[in-house]
Each structure stands twice: as C-alpha cells, then as structure tokens.
Amino acid sequence: MSDGTFSTEPVNCDGTKSAIILDKMCTIPFSILKAAPFSLKSGSSVVATVIATNGLGDSDVSPVSNSLLIIEPPNTPTPPSTLISSNSLTITWVAPYDGGSAIKAYKVAIGQSDGVTFTTETASCNISTTSCTVPISILKAEPYSLNGGSSVYAKVLAINESGSSSWSNKGNGAVIPRATSIPAQTLTALIN
C-alpha cells in the first residue's frame, strides 16, 4: 500500500497464501508435514530456513533453525485383559504406538456395578507400566460395588508429552469368584 501500512492474514506457511508476516513466526500444521512432498512421520525431526522477499528481490537463506520433534498423542491402546486371582485383579495391556514421544503414564478405568459407568482407579493403577493389580476388596467397595459373580471390565488410555490417547474399548471381563459356603453338615461336624 502506498501509505506504508500493511494488512496481514493468518499464514500457514504452506505456500498456498502470499502474505506479509510481521511477527516472524508461522504455524505449519502437522497434516501438511505428514503429506507429500514432506511425508514426515511422528517422531521425525523438523528444521526450517527462511528467505525474505521484497520489491528488490530475495534475501540470503537464513541459518537452519533448531530442530523440533513432530509428536502427537499416543494411539489408543488395545482392550486390556483382566485376570482374577484369589485376592486381586490383574489388568494388562499392550503399549500402543507412542506418537513420537515416550508414553509417560497410563490411566485405567474400571466398570462399576451398573455396567455403564467407568471410574479411573488411582489407588492401585497410577502407573507408567502396562499392568496393574487391584485388590478384590477395592472392587467390592464404592464406587465399583462389584460382588462375587460380577464381571470386571477395564479401559486404558496412554499419555505422552503431547496429550492423551482415546480410551480403549473395554477388555474381556474376568469374573469375581463367588464366596464359597461350607455345607451345614460339614459345619456341624467341624464344631463337634
């Protein structure tokens, strides 16, 4: 413009818009870096150079920037497996793809007795490994209220530096054993 003012518009630095960048910064969506011609994957390092252009021509190429890592939230874990022993439930799962950044933690949610509501188990499952063990006494108490004969379903999500995955589907549903009772005749014989 002849009066020396500039108008700017958002710039994605994808080559599809010509604009004046006054703040010396632009954002390139991961979707552009992951598509052709770049075809970068999560975990790839990215560097950039800049050429400034004005009415007199192009500048020299800038020095190469510091590298940045393309990271995304982890993939959704597969449904966990549950295994009941006499006093505890063990929940295991396979680590999903980490999105280019190491998985820092997992959250485990266990289904309540209503069969719909899942509650994150923090007492026994605040972990960075792919398994946790929950005492049966916790499953029988609030908020789960699961009794003998109830199926125990769990879901898992993974967390990395970029964020959280979606919750997995619920797992296989191991059954809490029913309390065994001693027949009355045996009880009488034991008392005598």
Side-chain angles (χ1 to χ4, degrees):
M1 297 180 171
S2 60
D3 64 357
T5 61
F6 299 95
S7 64
T8 61
E9 62 180 334
V11 177
N12 287 332
C13 300
D14 63 1
T16 60
K17 296 182 182 179
S18 60
I20 298 169
I21 304 170
L22 296 177
D23 61 6
K24 302 177 193 164
M25 183 177 114
C26 65
T27 300
I28 302 172
F30 285 151
S31 60
I32 296 210
L33 295 174
K34 292 173 85 176
F38 307 109
S39 302
L40 298 175
K41 297 184 181 339
S42 296
S44 299
S45 292
V46 177
V47 295
T49 59
V50 176
I51 299 174
T53 303
N54 64 19
L56 299 175
D58 294 343
S59 70
D60 292 335
V61 176
S62 72
V64 174
S65 69
N66 293 334
S67 70
L68 298 173
L69 195 62
I70 296 177
I71 59 172
E72 297 177 293
N75 286 355
T76 302
T78 57
S81 295
T82 53
L83 178 65
I84 298 271
S85 67
S86 59
N87 297 322
S88 63
L89 167 76
T90 301
I91 304 167
T92 59
W93 58 93
V94 176
Y97 173 67
D98 65 12
S101 176
I103 293 173
K104 299 189 316 187
Y106 293 95
K107 287 187 179 180
V108 176
I110 298 173
Q112 295 181 13
S113 60
D114 67 5
V116 176
T117 308
F118 280 77
T119 300
T120 302
E121 173 53 41
T122 56
S124 302
C125 296
N126 189 6
I127 47 157
S128 60
T129 62
T130 56
S131 69
C132 69
T133 302
V134 181
I136 297 292
S137 59
I138 288 178
L139 299 173
K140 290 184 175 184
E142 291 290 333
Y144 308 112
S145 303
L146 298 170
N147 298 315
S150 297
S151 294
V152 184
Y153 296 100
K155 296 180 179 184
V156 180
L157 70 75
I159 303 166
N160 71 5
E161 188 177 328
S162 179
S164 299
S165 69
S166 299
W167 284 99
S168 70
N169 289 327
K170 63 184 181 180
N172 62 329
V175 177
I176 296 175
R178 295 184 187 276
T180 55
S181 58
I182 300 173
Q185 292 175 335
T186 306
L187 186 57
T188 305
L190 291 173
I191 295 173
N192 291 332

